[in-house]
Amino acid sequence: MPLIESIAETINKARKRLVSHINSTMTETYWQIGKYIVEYEQGGQEKVAYGTSTLTELSKQLTARFGRGFSRPNLVNMRKFYLYYPNCQTVSDNLTWSHIGELIKADDLLERSFYEKECIAQKWDVRTLKRQMKSALYLRLASSRDKEGVLALANEGISVQKPEDVVRDSYTLEFLGIPEDYRFSETELEQRIIDHLQLFLLEMGKGFSFVKRQYPITVNNRHYHCDLVFYHRILKCFVLIDLKRDGVQHEDIGQMNMYLGYFAKEENMPDDNPPIGIILSHYKDDLLVEYATYGMNTNLFVSKYELYLPDKELLKQFVDKVVNENDKEKN
C-alpha cells in the first residue's frame, strides 16, 4: 500500500474513533443533565410538575454560558432521556443523540425497545429510523402476532430464521407517491418501485438484495417474466415477487407456483434453499387464497400493499389489547 494511502487510512480511522467518542460523551452528558433536572430540582419525583418558566430560565442561562444546544425542547428531551433510560450506557455507545431524540417520542416501552434494537442491529441512520416510526413498522408487525410474539418482537427485534419471518401480511408503499384513487398500471407500479428501490428494500426488511426486474423464464418455448427477483442473504434463497394492481386471482397463484418450481430446478445453486414467492396485490380475498393454495408450496405467500400510511392509533389499540388481555386459562 502506498505511503499516502496508509497515512490516510490511519487518519480516517482516528477520526471515526474521535467522532464516536465525542458522541458517546455528549450523550452521557445530556443524560446527566436530565438526571440533575429530575433528581435535584424535582427531588426525584418523576411526576412533579416542572414549570415552563423554570425550564425556560435554565435554557437561557445555559445558552448564555455554553452556546447552542440547550434550548427548552432539548432540555425536555434530556429529562425524558433520563426517565426512559435509567442506564444510558445501553444506548450511548451505539446511538447518536439524534437517534435518541426520535426514540423518546415513543411513549410505549415495547415500541421504543423494538426501534432501539433494530437501530443498533441494522445500523439505521436517523432518516431511516424516522421513516420506520412514521410508517408504524412495529405496530404493523406486532398486529399479526399473539402476546408472546409481541413481547419477543419488542425484546429481541426482528428475527429471521424461516420464510414466514421475512413475509408480512401487508406492506406500506406510501413512498411511491401514488394517490389512492389513481388508476396506475402494473408496469408503472414496478417502475416506481425500481425508482425508489432503496425505500422498497427498507420496507421489505433486512436481508434482501436486488437481483433483476422482469426476470425471464422460458418453459417449452413459452416466455414468462417474474416482475422482481431478490436474493435473501440470511435465508440463502431467491425471493420472487409478482405485482398485481388490483386483487390476486387463482391463475396468478398457479403461475407463481410454476416460477418457484423453475427457480428450484433451474436457478438454485446446490447450497441454495427453496425459493420464496410473494404475490403483492392491492386487495386480497383470503378465502380465494386459502382454496387456491390448498396443498401447494408452503413458500408461496399472498400479501397486500397499501399506498398510504396506516392509522397508528387503531393499530396501537389492537396491539395494546393483545398485550393486555389475560390468558384464557386464567379466566
Side-chain angles (χ1 to χ4, degrees):
M1 180 182 292
L3 178 61
I4 183 64
E5 294 301 327
S6 299
I7 294 175
E9 183 179 355
T10 299
I11 292 173
N12 286 331
K13 287 181 178 179
R15 284 177 173 175
K16 288 180 180 179
R17 288 197 300 270
L18 182 60
V19 169
S20 176
H21 179 70
I22 291 174
N23 170 70
S24 177
T25 301
M26 289 306 300
T27 301
E28 291 174 10
T29 300
Y30 291 152
W31 181 88
Q32 193 69 41
I33 292 172
K35 177 180 180 180
Y36 287 149
I37 292 173
V38 172
E39 292 190 350
Y40 286 82
E41 300 206 21
Q42 296 187 26
Q45 298 301 310
E46 179 179 332
K47 296 183 179 180
V48 171
Y50 195 66
T52 301
S53 59
T54 308
L55 273 182
T56 301
E57 183 60 31
L58 182 60
S59 172
K60 288 180 179 178
Q61 292 186 24
L62 288 173
T63 301
R65 186 175 298 190
F66 299 104
R68 298 174 58 186
F70 299 97
S71 65
R72 181 178 173 277
N74 252 359
L75 293 179
V76 171
N77 282 343
M78 293 173 200
R79 180 178 181 274
K80 288 182 70 175
F81 179 32
Y82 170 72
L83 292 174
Y84 286 172
Y85 290 94
N87 178 10
C88 79
Q89 207 69 38
T90 59
V91 292
S92 63
D93 291 340
N94 299 288
L95 300 174
T96 68
W97 175 244
S98 296
H99 282 101
I100 294 167
E102 295 300 320
L103 289 172
I104 60 179
K105 291 178 181 178
D107 295 326
D108 182 80
L109 174 60
L110 297 180
E111 183 176 1
R112 190 168 60 252
S113 175
F114 167 80
Y115 288 120
E116 173 199 327
K117 286 174 173 55
E118 286 300 299
C119 255
I120 295 173
Q122 303 307 316
K123 296 180 172 57
W124 284 350
D125 56 21
V126 178
R127 181 181 178 184
T128 300
L129 172 60
K130 285 182 177 180
R131 195 267 160 180
Q132 297 292 40
M133 293 182 70
K134 185 178 181 181
S135 67
L137 175 63
Y138 165 73
L139 294 174
R140 288 188 286 134
L141 292 173
S143 64
S144 62
R145 288 165 165 76
D146 56 14
K147 180 177 179 179
E148 289 71 21
V150 173
L151 295 177
L153 186 67
N155 293 326
E156 302 168 12
I158 299 174
S159 174
V160 177
Q161 299 178 347
K162 55 188 184 298
E164 290 83 353
D165 295 332
V166 304
V167 182
R168 302 178 196 160
D169 291 333
S170 65
Y171 296 85
T172 300
L173 308 182
E174 91 293 344
F175 52 84
L176 299 182
I178 301 177
E180 182 66 17
D181 56 353
Y182 175 62
R183 293 297 294 174
F184 56 90
S185 66
E186 289 173 2
T187 300
E188 183 178 1
L189 176 62
E190 179 186 321
Q191 184 59 53
R192 292 207 185 200
I193 288 175
I194 295 298
D195 292 341
H196 298 82
L197 188 57
Q198 184 176 359
L199 288 173
F200 184 71
L201 287 170
L202 180 62
E203 176 63 15
M204 292 302 295
K206 61 185 178 183
F208 285 86
S209 298
F210 180 63
V211 175
K212 188 179 180 63
R213 67 186 294 191
Q214 291 297 306
Y215 199 103
I217 296 174
T218 301
V219 179
N220 290 335
N221 291 322
R222 293 191 64 179
H223 305 293
Y224 306 87
H225 292 85
C226 184
D227 291 336
L228 300 168
V229 175
F230 298 85
Y231 190 83
H232 202 280
R233 59 182 179 79
I234 301 175
L235 294 181
K236 298 188 182 305
C237 68
F238 286 104
V239 180
L240 319 180
I241 296 180
D242 247 5
L243 304 168
K244 300 302 170 186
R245 184 188 66 184
D246 297 314
V248 63
Q249 303 300 320
H250 64 86
E251 56 265 26
D252 300 324
I253 293 173
Q255 181 171 271
M256 174 57 77
N257 197 51
M258 180 190 71
Y259 291 172
L260 292 175
Y262 176 88
F263 265 77
K265 295 290 186 180
E266 306 295 338
E267 301 291 352
N268 268 18
M269 299 298 287
D271 57 343
D272 283 336
N273 289 312
I276 298 171
I278 304 173
I279 303 175
L280 202 52
S281 64
H282 203 9
Y283 307 103
K284 178 182 176 182
D285 184 331
D286 290 321
L287 192 59
L288 183 146
V289 171
E290 179 184 346
Y291 291 157
T293 57
Y294 178 76
M296 197 175 279
N297 195 315
T298 56
N299 278 8
L300 195 160
F301 302 88
V302 177
S303 301
K304 288 175 56 179
Y305 63 84
E306 303 288 354
L307 298 175
Y308 52 87
L309 293 173
D311 188 317
K312 284 188 181 180
E313 190 54 40
L314 289 178
L315 284 173
K316 187 176 186 307
Q317 290 174 9
F318 181 83
V319 173
D320 287 344
K321 182 180 178 182
V322 172
V323 173
N324 295 326
E325 67 181 4
N326 293 325
D327 295 333
K328 293 181 180 180
E329 293 81 2
K330 296 180 180 179
N331 290 338

